[in-house]
Amino acid sequence: MKSYQIILVPLFLVLAFQLKAQKEAIYDATSIHHPLLSKNGMVSTQHMEATKVGLEILEQGGNAVDAAVAVGFSLAVVLPRAGNLGGGGFMLYHDNARNKTTAYNYREMAPAKAHRDMYLDADGNVDVQLARMHHQASGVPGTVAGLLKALEDHGNMTVEQVVAPAIRLAEEGFPITFDLARLLKLYESRLRASSETEKIFYPSKTTYYEAGDTLRQLDLAWSLKQISKRGRDGFYKGELAKRIAKDMSANDGLIKRRDLAKYKVEVMEPVTGTYRGHEIISMPPPSSGGIHLIQMLNILEEFPIEEMGHNTGATIHTMAEAMKYAYADRSEHLGDPNFYDVPVEWITSKTYGKELSEKISTESATASEDISPGKPNDNESDETTHFSVIDKNRNVVSQTYTLNFSFGNGIVAKGTGILLNNEMNDFSAKPGVPNAFGLLGGEANSIQPGKRPLSSMTPTIVLKDGEPYFVTGTPGGSRIITTILQVVMNIIDHKMNVAEATHASRIHHQWYPEDLFIEGKGISMDTQKILGSMGHSVKIRSVMGSTQTIMILDELLRGCSDPRRPDARIAGY
Ligand code: DON
């Protein structure tokens, strides 16, 4: 080496290092909120006890699937509003070494006795009580089959190992948090309506548990032990299945032992798209989440969003318009692909995205009735939960599952400790009549035996240069898809770190009702006025979503559990 080279090479290396350090420092100095940093593995869930379980599994050498399955079973104990054995959901698993993502569809299925008009009364109106709060509101649960199928395909641990923490939490109990104590009061009428549910969640007919009390769920522990001993059959066949079917027939419900035995998980290809050079991987139908996330990103890619600015009038207006087109298409074209030919390629194509982008005026809002007909109404409070895991080999799990409403239909099947879902309400009970989330639907999402109701759940993984970049997902009913849209845009367009991307105020439009919902405090009055002057009907709504997001950057994991829900927690090691 020549002498000038001996001096210049190290000088260059030092300069390059300083520049990188400076870039990092600038990045950090402009961040108001910081993510959790760690190196080996990270788990983000909506309950601290479940996060602890997931982390312990990773530390014991389990992979992302082992941890996610253990979290799934544990949330059924500690987060009864949404964690479940009696519901269903979706898991995306990205195998880093093989660079392959697999989608698990364990959405509930309509029982054999279900039929198109089952919720209509003699006058042809939807009987809301029957469709939402009755035994007939439940679809055949998929959670246990889904979690165990993913474990069988990709886990390293046994069923006993991943169910054990949930059994311990159910048997020994766990401390009731302020949030759970509050919710048990809030949902009292729904939960006390079933004596089996009341027996579990209330000390007596007139008293309540307080924060700090221990909640033990012995019937649920028994159910978990059936699964631990017999795997899938422990839930879908034998004594547990018999108890569910008996409770159903005693209460005019539809689910029979045959329905349970026939439940099927589908292993699917995810739906994919790109956004400004990043690869977007999400859930295909029967979720509408992935398709419409990609559709909205395709529309928004046509606009210089970064320059337009975060949550400015112009950006929110453009996003709201994109949302309207997506939800209009959802009402017409989306349903279970086993029963209805969903035009996935067309809706997620760049060409269609561009076509829709050209319809968006930069000056004013398009009236919803000029996009397509239909008139919905109410929205109801709701619950689902998402959890994200990344392990030391950078395998990723993105999983959202649900009972639909908080505590599902509020009914525990006798002797099982298992809360039942009311997912049948995600079907379109009657064309033009919105469901509990104000969502419209028609033929594509009509009720048929064996069909799965259309979902909005959007577990998502984003790759950059072919490597996992971040994983995210959220509850929130119809607002799930738009919440995930905003996390993706906050990171990619607005260059936010995951904490800022999580904390930033959110907006939502779903075509009908014709309102632009905002999380009020973070969107300035000035911006609200601009949006009003463009013709948007701006409404302040309660907070939207509870995202669990983990990013991989410079070899570190950076995560944020949404502070919008009190018990959520992220942990890494
Ligand atoms: O699958 C769906 O889209 C709904 N059942 C999800 C419900 C939900 O997210 C409620 N949670 N906040």
Side-chain angles (χ1 to χ4, degrees):
M1 201 183 265
K2 299 211 168 71
S3 63
Y4 70 88
Q5 281 178 319
I6 293 173
I7 297 171
L8 281 183
V9 169
L11 193 66
F12 175 76
L13 286 176
V14 168
L15 269 178
F17 179 77
Q18 277 190 342
L19 265 177
K20 185 167 185 326
Q22 200 184 3
K23 204 172 123 215
E24 183 81 0
I26 289 167
Y27 186 81
D28 282 342
T30 57
S31 305
I32 300 172
H33 308 278
H34 288 279
L36 175 79
L37 296 190
S38 93
K39 184 152 179 68
N40 293 311
M42 204 175 261
V43 180
S44 191
T45 87
Q46 240 177 278
H47 198 285
M48 64 245 330
E49 296 285 349
T51 297
K52 219 194 294 174
V53 165
L55 196 68
E56 276 164 15
I57 295 272
L58 290 183
E59 284 175 323
Q60 286 161 17
N63 65 18
V65 171
D66 297 316
V69 172
V71 166
F73 282 115
S74 298
L75 283 171
V77 181
V78 297
L79 191 76
R81 66 194 290 197
N84 66 81
L85 302 181
F90 304 113
M91 180 199 278
L92 282 187
Y93 169 63
H94 182 79
D95 183 323
N96 192 28
R98 289 166 57 227
N99 190 20
K100 174 153 178 54
T101 311
T102 309
Y104 288 89
N105 164 13
Y106 59 91
R107 181 75 161 161
E108 297 89 336
M109 294 169 85
K113 285 252 181 279
H115 59 92
R116 173 186 304 257
D117 298 331
M118 62 186 276
Y119 298 122
L120 302 188
D121 63 18
D123 300 324
N125 297 320
V126 177
D127 179 339
V128 170
Q129 180 66 17
L130 188 67
R132 299 183 188 173
M133 292 305 163
H134 193 270
H135 277 72
Q136 289 192 21
S138 301
V140 182
T143 295
V144 174
L147 295 179
L148 295 186
K149 174 72 178 142
L151 184 75
E152 183 187 314
D153 290 354
H154 300 287
N156 290 331
M157 290 185 159
T158 61
V159 178
E160 287 95 313
Q161 282 173 303
V162 295
V163 180
I167 296 177
R168 177 181 48 78
L169 287 163
E171 216 159 38
E172 294 173 12
F174 66 95
I176 291 183
T177 60
F178 284 102
D179 194 44
L180 180 54
R182 177 187 71 87
L183 287 167
L184 294 177
K185 287 180 184 147
L186 189 67
Y187 289 100
E188 180 176 8
S189 61
R190 179 178 303 177
L191 297 176
R192 286 197 194 267
S194 149
S195 58
E196 192 72 8
T197 312
E198 182 174 46
K199 197 176 84 184
I200 298 167
F201 295 109
Y202 300 88
S204 77
K205 289 218 169 296
T206 51
T207 57
Y208 304 95
Y209 286 121
E210 298 298 337
D213 289 348
T214 300
L215 183 65
R216 298 175 71 213
Q217 300 171 80
L218 298 184
D219 284 347
L220 186 56
W222 174 84
S223 293
L224 286 160
K225 283 181 188 166
Q226 306 307 303
I227 299 164
S228 172
K229 274 189 229 142
R230 299 185 54 214
R232 182 194 149 114
D233 285 354
F235 184 90
Y236 293 91
K237 292 179 179 167
E239 182 57 26
L240 177 44
K242 222 192 265 175
R243 289 188 191 184
I244 295 175
K246 192 166 164 209
D247 195 62
M248 281 282 160
S249 72
N251 292 284
D252 212 12
L254 299 185
I255 298 176
K256 306 262 181 249
R257 285 173 70 184
R258 281 201 289 290
D259 292 307
L260 289 162
K262 276 173 64 181
Y263 181 84
K264 200 167 169 293
V265 179
E266 286 204 50
V267 183
M268 311 174 82
E269 289 291 319
V271 65
T272 58
T274 62
Y275 187 59
R276 305 198 201 278
H278 299 74
E279 203 175 323
I280 312 292
I281 305 175
S282 195
M283 198 63 213
S287 180
S288 60
I291 287 193
H292 295 304
L293 171 67
I294 291 167
Q295 178 187 19
M296 290 186 283
L297 288 171
N298 286 339
I299 299 172
L300 293 161
E301 203 173 38
E302 299 295 325
F303 297 86
I305 298 290
E306 185 180 2
E307 269 167 48
M308 287 159 66
H310 177 251
N311 277 355
T312 56
T315 299
I316 294 178
H317 161 73
T318 312
M319 289 167 71
E321 296 299 284
M323 290 171 184
K324 287 186 210 170
Y325 284 106
Y327 280 80
D329 280 342
R330 186 188 189 281
S331 75
E332 178 78 21
H333 300 295
L334 268 285
D336 182 345
N338 290 335
F339 291 76
Y340 191 87
D341 196 9
V342 181
V344 182
E345 279 183 23
W346 167 62
I347 299 180
T348 57
S349 71
K350 293 280 181 201
T351 328
Y352 184 50
K354 186 160 193 313
E355 212 176 281
L356 293 178
S357 75
E358 283 159 6
K359 296 188 180 181
I360 296 177
S361 147
T362 52
E363 308 292 320
S364 60
T366 308
S368 292
E369 63 176 4
D370 292 336
I371 292 175
S372 215
K375 284 266 185 272
N377 52 30
D378 63 317
N379 274 265
E380 150 122 9
S381 106
D382 38 52
E383 197 50 63
T384 292
T385 191
H386 178 87
F387 38 109
S388 298
V389 182
I390 300 187
D391 68 22
K392 64 178 186 312
N393 295 318
R394 303 315 190 224
N395 299 309
V396 184
V397 170
S398 182
Q399 174 150 232
T400 318
Y401 76 161
T402 187
L403 290 166
N404 197 23
F405 287 10
S406 280
F407 307 96
N409 58 8
I411 299 167
V412 167
K414 197 166 166 42
T416 67
I418 296 174
L419 275 161
L420 299 172
N421 70 78
N422 59 350
E423 217 71 65
M424 294 289 284
N425 191 242
D426 276 349
F427 278 120
S428 172
K430 184 179 175 183
V433 177
N435 74 358
F437 300 105
L439 289 167
L440 292 165
E443 184 51 36
N445 191 29
S446 62
I447 306 170
Q448 283 174 262
K451 191 170 174 180
R452 300 178 207 248
L454 183 60
S455 172
S456 300
M457 292 188 277
T458 315
T460 297
I461 297 171
V462 176
L463 309 185
K464 187 176 179 179
D465 304 324
E467 303 280 339
Y469 181 32
F470 65 92
V471 50
T472 189
T474 186
S478 57
R479 291 157 289 159
I480 292 175
I481 321 175
T482 50
T483 297
I484 296 309
L485 174 76
Q486 287 165 87
V487 172
V488 172
M489 293 176 72
N490 287 348
I491 292 174
I492 296 179
D493 288 305
H494 304 298
K495 313 287 185 285
M496 293 182 187
N497 71 40
V498 284
E500 292 170 306
T502 301
H503 296 190
S505 282
R506 296 176 182 149
I507 63 135
H508 172 74
H509 204 304
Q510 61 182 54
W511 175 51
Y512 281 108
E514 184 136 25
D515 293 318
L516 172 54
F517 295 115
I518 59 167
E519 289 179 326
K521 298 189 181 71
I523 309 283
S524 74
M525 292 297 281
D526 292 351
T527 307
Q528 293 182 39
K529 276 192 197 135
I530 292 171
L531 290 164
S533 72
M534 294 174 101
H536 292 281
S537 141
V538 179
K539 293 258 164 70
I540 295 180
R541 267 290 291 274
S542 56
V543 293
M544 304 176 200
S546 170
T547 57
Q548 311 297 331
T549 309
I550 309 175
M551 175 189 276
I552 304 172
L553 188 65
D554 299 336
E555 322 238 312
L556 284 184
L557 298 171
R558 294 155 196 251
C560 184
S561 184
D562 205 322
R564 286 170 178 78
R565 307 270 170 114
D567 293 339
R569 207 65 97 241
I570 185 156
Y573 77 110

